[in-house]
Amino acid sequence: MIPSNYLEKVYSGYLGMNIGIRLGAPVEPTIWTYERIKNTYGDITDYVKQYKNFAADDDANGPFYFLRALYDDAANRELTPNDVARAWLNYTREGVGMFWWGGYGISTEHTAYINLKKGIQAPQAGSIEQNGEIIAEQIGGQIFIDTWGLVNPGNPQKAADYGEAAARVSHDGEGILGARFFCAAISKAFETSEINAIIEAGLAQIPEDSTYAQVARAVLAFHASQPDDFRACRDMLERDWGYDKYTGVCHIIPNAGICILAMIYGQGDFNRTVEIATMCGWDTDCNAGNVGTVLGVACGVEGIAHKYRKPINDSIVMSGISGYLNILDIPTYAKELAILGYRLANEPCPESLLSSFREHEVYFDFELPGSTHNIRVSDPFFCEIKHSTEKSVQGSGSLEVTFDRMTRGEQSKIYYKPFYTRDDFSDERYSPTLAPKAFSGQKVSMNIYLDQWNGNETMGFAPYVRLATSKKEILQGYVKLVNNEWLQVEFEIPDSEGELIDEVGIVLESYSLVKYKSLGRIFIDEFRIHGKSNYTIDFNKQLINFGCVTPFAHNHGAWSLVKDAMYLMTAEPCEAYTGNYFSRDYEVSLNINPQHGPSHMVAVRAQGAMRGYHVGFDGDNEVSLYINNFGYKKLASRQFAWKFQQGYDFKVTVQGDTITLIIDGEEILQHKDETFSYGMYGVSTISAARTYFRHMKLAEI
């Protein structure tokens, strides 16, 4: 039965996973050895590196994207390995992001991906028979599976079965036992915070005579004899279970030992557990992430130290094929996971939870304990944010912003960041690609309550957005707040004139004279970015970030900016996707100037690399509409005399089940198909090509 605090536990578990990953990532091997971590940082009690914004790696990408198999294929039945394999192929940009592309026969994930691309289905693609024992038993079997435990609360057996199904895409043997262990442990943590019971629940789902169980028992026995010295236990693991005995890049067995060590020596303390996992070396981000999920669920949000939670600020940036999905709000995702959990348990989901999750828009209700939804302030000297349960429009939570001794003309922005550029990150990480979550034409709404303690005038604010490349801020008119009253605010995002929007919020300003100084609080609740978008992409105003033209995610091909165009040169089929992943009815307009090759197309309702529609020039004097559903199939075609080195104005409309292509004002092709009802848009080719793309516009209908 689903526990009453299920949503909060999912939230704390997912927070815990990302805190562990962020803590361990800066000291990940091979450069950082156990000895080097110890000598450099000693007893780790905080993040060792401060990131501008933390972009996820494989430890976070896999649990997020591979779970989408529950929507795409296993929506009404039990999960199979091949369901998850299809998610691998659909949401991954080949060779970039998602996981480590270390080479066939070196990286387990790269090896499995190539096998899948060649038509070898899961579980064969990840089997020992196919890849050998060393490749099949690396650590990836347990690092991509946390969410399968989160959606199966209090059911260790089912959690382990789902984790195994997912792990078998790429792993086998001991590699899948880590998935079974951790999914069961996460599931059990919804029922108890007693760490020994959690570990035993995990071990109950794997064979007693397995090497995984043996290393776990060795750690537990050592702890029983020396319960106060985790470093002595680490020395034992090095001696008896080290990397010298389990070859490959990153074998699961030594790291399994570290995970058990961290949990048993952490003794149910979330913070100490992820710290120990990091200090012990080997695969630090993987291990700290896995134990972070277990202890996050077990301890709840109250068990996670503010110093670890604050820099996360409820946000993580992924690196899959959808730039829109890559910008992830953790409270929103916790709701999504909880809804899936109710579905898998065959229990009715509370209406309050269903209504609070809106995948197609930005919606922040601040209901989860401590949640901030990645809202930020531009000047922490004047303003500080925190979660509050003191005031709310509905429910019990809101965002509290304290303003401190502001005088006339002094300002601070309070904003959400719906888009990022390379300058927003400290390093390359796993090459995230981003599509904005706020567009011209949409509406922004929120409720603001003023509780002013000092000042001879009440505070005022102006709605604003900031443009990503020029950094120009577009302000609307100032509004004066009324003390001790809620004010409902709504404004339309103005035309960004081809730029992307990377800040949406308000500019808070004091009107008080210097001798009075404004001091007090505002509360923000029910923050939304919603409605139909209508915007252009001016390629004169875009950037090359992480190897992609903003705001696109490229899959194959060489893409560049040439004056006012996005230019493609490719020797193989390729795509570039952007836009709201959940957009349904819309119109894409652009100019296509084919230079070479038979295929120059517009992609619509694309749900990834393997799912979507593609329409456009298709060989001599022909235009065609294709559906890609793990393989291209021509749906319709028509004669059209097109030429190279000539620009054509395309307009592709998707509305209901109808796809319409208009070229230079003339309707060329129309076809009905109901396979895909939503998805991204972009450009593509199904063969070698060179093409210029200009003047792109998206208008939702």
Side-chain angles (χ1 to χ4, degrees):
M1 185 174 179
I2 299 286
S4 60
N5 61 351
Y6 177 45
L7 174 58
E8 290 184 20
K9 288 284 192 177
V10 171
Y11 177 47
S12 59
Y14 198 73
L15 275 173
M17 182 186 83
N18 286 290
I19 288 168
I21 294 168
R22 180 175 176 142
L23 182 64
V27 291
E28 189 177 10
T30 56
I31 296 173
W32 284 99
T33 63
Y34 168 67
E35 292 75 16
R36 186 166 287 161
I37 296 169
K38 180 180 177 182
N39 294 336
T40 303
Y41 294 110
D43 189 31
I44 291 175
T45 58
D46 202 347
Y47 291 119
V48 300
K49 194 176 288 292
Q50 298 302 316
Y51 293 89
K52 293 179 184 177
N53 293 284
F54 186 67
D57 55 18
D58 50 348
D59 305 83
N61 287 323
F64 174 71
Y65 273 107
F66 302 157
L67 192 81
R68 292 200 64 80
L70 293 178
Y71 297 106
D72 298 339
D73 289 297
N76 300 300
R77 56 170 171 78
E78 295 299 311
L79 185 75
T80 70
N82 209 52
D83 296 330
V84 183
R86 285 162 62 88
W88 276 57
L89 292 172
N90 190 50
Y91 294 103
T92 301
R93 296 187 298 138
E94 185 170 0
V96 185
M98 192 60 80
F99 41 73
W100 178 54
W101 300 90
Y104 191 88
I106 300 171
S107 160
T108 303
E109 293 73 39
H110 194 165
T111 302
Y113 182 88
I114 294 298
N115 290 341
L116 294 171
K117 287 280 286 188
K118 290 182 177 295
I120 302 170
Q121 294 193 345
Q124 180 67 24
S127 67
I128 289 175
E129 178 188 13
Q130 184 74 32
N131 304 323
E133 188 173 16
I134 292 174
I135 286 292
E137 294 191 340
Q138 298 301 301
I139 196 173
Q142 74 183 21
I143 70 172
F144 299 144
I145 51 74
D146 303 68
T147 45
W148 302 107
L150 293 175
V151 298
N152 285 291
N155 193 341
Q157 173 75 56
K158 186 172 182 179
D161 290 347
Y162 271 52
E164 177 178 342
R168 282 196 177 277
V169 175
S170 50
H171 290 74
D172 199 357
E174 299 289 335
I176 64 171
L177 299 186
R180 291 194 65 86
F181 171 84
F182 266 106
C183 285
I186 293 164
S187 180
K188 184 66 175 179
F190 284 97
E191 297 179 328
T192 179
S193 60
E194 210 287 305
I195 197 62
N196 293 84
I198 291 170
I199 293 172
E200 290 300 330
L203 292 174
Q205 296 300 323
I206 65 174
E208 292 182 7
D209 61 351
S210 64
T211 307
Y212 200 103
Q214 290 171 26
V215 70
R217 294 296 179 195
V219 170
L220 294 174
F222 192 95
H223 174 263
S225 64
Q226 297 189 47
D228 300 319
D229 190 352
F230 81 85
R231 292 196 182 276
C233 189
R234 173 59 171 80
D235 293 341
M236 180 274 291
L237 285 174
E238 183 78 50
R239 183 188 71 236
D240 298 341
W241 307 88
Y243 271 19
D244 58 321
K245 299 169 183 65
Y246 300 94
T247 54
V249 175
C250 192
H251 201 279
I252 199 170
I253 293 303
N255 290 288
I258 294 299
C259 291
I260 303 297
L261 182 160
M263 288 191 287
I264 197 66
Y265 279 90
Q267 278 297 295
D269 183 304
F270 169 86
N271 308 295
R272 194 57 182 161
T273 299
V274 295
E275 291 163 1
I276 290 172
T278 301
M279 287 186 283
C280 283
W282 288 332
D283 205 338
T284 48
D285 57 342
C286 298
N287 297 336
N290 278 139
V291 301
T293 309
V294 176
L295 273 295
V297 173
C299 299
V301 290
E302 64 275 8
I304 302 176
H306 182 67
K307 63 185 176 183
Y308 286 130
R309 189 172 176 183
K310 184 176 180 181
I312 295 288
N313 198 28
D314 276 346
S315 182
I316 190 75
V317 174
M318 302 293 183
S319 52
I321 201 166
S322 168
Y324 186 88
L325 293 177
N326 283 342
I327 302 173
L328 185 143
D329 175 66
I330 292 177
T332 301
Y333 189 55
K335 294 175 185 178
E336 181 177 359
L337 290 172
I339 292 169
L340 286 171
Y342 279 100
R343 189 185 98 188
L344 293 178
N346 293 314
E347 292 188 27
C349 184
E351 180 57 37
S352 59
L353 174 56
L354 289 172
S355 64
S356 71
F357 173 66
R358 305 173 190 180
E359 64 183 4
H360 59 285
E361 68 175 61
V362 172
Y363 173 59
F364 302 152
D365 60 7
F366 305 99
E367 287 300 289
L368 281 163
S371 58
T372 58
H373 292 281
N374 200 28
I375 302 293
R376 307 167 180 219
V377 297
S378 62
D379 193 336
F381 180 80
F382 286 131
C383 290
E384 183 175 344
I385 64 171
K386 68 176 183 179
H387 182 264
S388 175
T389 57
E390 187 175 337
K391 304 283 185 185
S392 64
V393 172
Q394 61 180 22
S396 61
S398 65
L399 187 77
E400 179 181 331
V401 184
T402 301
F403 53 90
D404 188 4
R405 286 168 288 183
M406 296 176 69
T407 60
R408 180 172 293 176
E410 292 177 330
Q411 300 176 336
S412 179
K413 295 184 292 183
I414 302 159
Y415 64 95
Y416 168 64
K417 193 163 180 59
F419 181 72
Y420 300 81
T421 64
R422 175 63 184 84
D423 290 343
D424 293 313
F425 298 97
S426 303
D427 57 8
E428 293 291 312
R429 299 303 292 156
Y430 272 60
S431 300
T433 56
L434 295 315
K437 306 203 87 162
F439 305 95
S440 297
Q442 289 189 294
K443 289 182 168 55
V444 180
S445 62
M446 70 191 85
N447 290 271
I448 305 175
Y449 183 95
L450 175 65
D451 176 26
Q452 188 162 336
W453 307 328
N454 194 66
N456 70 321
E457 293 284 349
T458 57
M459 300 290 285
F461 72 92
Y464 88 102
V465 299
R466 191 180 79 162
L467 306 183
T469 303
S470 66
K471 307 305 180 187
K472 177 183 177 182
E473 293 178 359
I474 304 175
L475 276 75
Q476 301 196 11
Y478 275 88
V479 178
K480 201 168 186 180
L481 289 163
V482 180
N483 203 25
N484 298 317
E485 288 187 14
W486 281 104
L487 178 66
Q488 187 172 20
V489 179
E490 183 170 274
F491 64 95
E492 184 173 306
I493 299 177
D495 185 358
S496 63
E497 298 182 345
E499 281 202 65
L500 309 174
I501 295 166
D502 73 345
E503 291 181 9
V504 176
I506 61 171
V507 178
L508 186 68
E509 182 170 344
S510 172
Y511 299 150
S512 292
L513 298 174
V514 173
K515 66 178 181 179
Y516 293 105
K517 296 187 185 343
S518 293
L519 179 67
R521 305 173 296 178
I522 63 169
F523 297 86
I524 297 174
D525 199 5
E526 296 293 304
F527 181 96
R528 295 178 65 198
I529 303 174
H530 58 100
K532 295 176 181 178
S533 58
N534 189 329
Y535 63 97
T536 59
I537 298 175
D538 184 342
F539 290 111
N540 283 307
K541 300 176 180 179
Q542 301 310 313
L543 305 167
I544 300 290
N545 279 181
F546 298 109
C548 291
V549 175
T550 57
F552 291 89
H554 302 316
N555 190 36
H556 302 299
W559 303 80
S560 58
L561 289 168
V562 179
K563 296 183 180 178
D564 63 341
M566 179 168 68
Y567 176 61
L568 165 65
M569 182 173 181
T570 181
E572 60 187 331
C574 66
E575 316 90 35
Y577 298 122
T578 190
N580 186 329
Y581 185 82
F582 301 102
S583 286
R584 291 185 174 271
D585 295 341
Y586 53 82
E587 175 182 285
V588 183
S589 304
L590 73 160
N591 183 273
I592 295 181
N593 192 323
Q595 302 295 298
H596 178 76
S599 176
H600 312 269
M601 295 190 163
V602 179
V604 290
R605 287 187 179 166
Q607 297 176 8
M610 297 291 175
R611 296 162 62 90
Y613 300 106
H614 303 262
V615 61
F617 298 146
D618 181 39
D620 293 342
N621 299 321
E622 189 171 357
V623 294
S624 299
L625 168 66
Y626 286 83
I627 184 173
N628 179 14
N629 194 359
F630 289 84
Y632 283 88
K633 176 184 176 182
K634 186 180 291 189
L635 297 178
S637 63
R638 180 178 167 181
Q639 291 294 301
F640 182 87
W642 61 274
K643 299 177 181 179
F644 291 121
Q645 286 84 49
Q646 180 174 326
Y648 295 88
D649 290 328
F650 272 54
K651 182 181 290 186
V652 180
T653 302
V654 283
Q655 188 168 16
D657 63 356
T658 303
I659 303 168
T660 305
L661 169 64
I662 295 172
I663 301 178
D664 292 338
E666 178 186 355
E667 183 177 306
I668 304 299
L669 184 151
Q670 187 174 91
H671 186 79
K672 292 182 180 294
D673 187 272
E674 58 184 18
T675 306
F676 303 124
S677 60
Y678 65 88
M680 304 173 287
Y681 71 95
V683 295
S684 58
T685 175
I686 59 173
S687 68
R690 287 193 297 113
T691 319
Y692 290 100
F693 303 99
R694 293 182 171 90
H695 312 309
M696 188 169 284
K697 180 176 180 179
L698 187 284
E700 290 189 285
I701 301 170

